[in-house]
Amino acid sequence: MLLTIDSGNTNIVFAVFDGDEVRGEWRSSTTTERTADEFGVWLTLLLGTADLKPDDIDAAIVATVVPANVFTLKTLCRRYFKCEPLVVGEPNVELGLEIRLDHPEEVGADRLVNAVAAHARYDGPLIVIDFGTATTFDAIAANGDYLGGAIAPGINLSLEALHMAAAKLPRIAIGRPTEVIGKGTVSAMKSGVYWGYVGLIESLCRRISDELGAPATTVATGGLAPLFAEATDVIHHLDQDLTLRGLLEIHRRNV
C-alpha cells in the first residue's frame, strides 16, 4: 500500500491507498517542532482505526511546501514504514509535465501535484483553484504543461487581517450571507469578504481563460472549496481529493 503525505502551511494530510481505494485519511496541524517519532506513534494508532498496520505500507510519497518538514517526514517513512519516500521536487522524481516558467524551482510542490492530477482526470485547458492558507489559481495547458498562475491571500488570512487592522471590527467566521447588503457590522463584513472573494474568483478565472485563448475547465479543491463552488458557475468541478490523487499518479509514474 502507498502512504501519501501532503504537507501544507496549515495542515499535513496523510492518506493510505490500496490501489485506487483510499483506506484511511488523517490530518495533523503543520508544525516544524513535531518529531518523526511523534508522527510515527500518532499515525500508527490511527492506522489501527482503519484495520491497518505499519507493515501494510510498502511505499510513500511526500509533497511539502514547508522545507523544514522534509527531513522529519523522510525519517518517519524510513523508521516506521521501512521505505524510502519519493519527494516531489527532488531531481529523481518525474512529474510527466513541462513547467513553462522562468524559474521552475519556485513553484510549490502542491501546485504541481494538483496540475498532474487535474490533467489526468479532466480535459484541458484547465484552471485549478486550491483554497488553502493561500488561494492559488493554476493554469494547465491542454497537453498537461504547467503554465503558471496567481496567488491570493486565503479567505481566513483576509478575515484575520481585517480584524487585526481595524480596532472596531470583530473576528468572524466565514459563511455565505443570505443578503449582499449587510444590516450590521458583522453581516457587512461577512458579505464583503464572501462576495468579494467570489468576485475575485470569477474575475481571475475569466482573465486566465482569456490569456489561454480558450475556455478553461475550472476545478476547485481545498477545505473551503465547497463553500465557494456553490456560489459561482465558473467552477465546474469540486474535487476534494485532487492533491492526494496527484500524489498517487506521480508515484505510479515513478515506480
Side-chain angles (χ1 to χ4, degrees), residues 37 44 53 90 105 139 173 191 198 214 219 238 250 254:
D37 290 326
T44 297
K53 54 187 184 297
E90 292 190 345
E105 71 280 359
S191 176
V198 170
V219 183
L238 178 63
I250 292 170
N254 284 270

Side-chain angles (χ1 to χ4, degrees), residues 72-225:
T72 298
L73 295 174
K74 279 187 171 182
T75 303
L76 166 70
C77 295
R78 292 165 179 161
R79 185 173 296 167
Y80 286 87
F81 304 107
K82 305 298 186 291
C83 64
E84 184 66 28
L86 294 174
V87 178
V88 177
E90 292 190 345
N92 63 316
V93 178
E94 176 60 46
L95 300 180
L97 56 78
E98 181 180 347
I99 305 171
R100 289 202 247 159
L101 302 182
D102 296 333
H103 301 284
E105 71 280 359
E106 294 180 355
V107 186
D110 54 340
R111 301 175 73 185
L112 297 176
V113 171
N114 285 343
V116 169
H119 178 64
R121 306 188 79 178
Y122 306 100
D123 294 330
L126 298 162
I127 300 169
V128 176
I129 310 174
D130 191 345
F131 293 88
T133 306
T135 299
T136 57
F137 296 75
D138 294 305
I140 298 103
N143 67 351
D145 287 351
Y146 181 82
L147 304 177
I151 302 175
I155 189 68
N156 286 320
L157 282 180
S158 300
L159 288 171
E160 190 64 19
L162 198 59
H163 165 68
M164 293 295 291
K168 289 190 174 182
L169 296 184
R171 182 179 281 111
I172 62 171
I174 189 61
R176 181 176 180 173
T178 56
E179 298 177 336
V180 176
I181 301 174
K183 305 300 184 183
T185 298
V186 170
S187 59
M189 289 174 66
K190 287 185 175 181
S191 176
V193 171
Y194 183 84
W195 293 113
Y197 219 77
V198 170
L200 178 146
I201 293 165
E202 292 176 341
S203 177
L204 277 176
C205 287
R206 183 179 68 252
R207 291 173 182 271
I208 291 171
S209 288
D210 289 345
E211 288 191 19
L212 290 173
T217 298
T218 302
V219 183
T221 191
L224 290 175

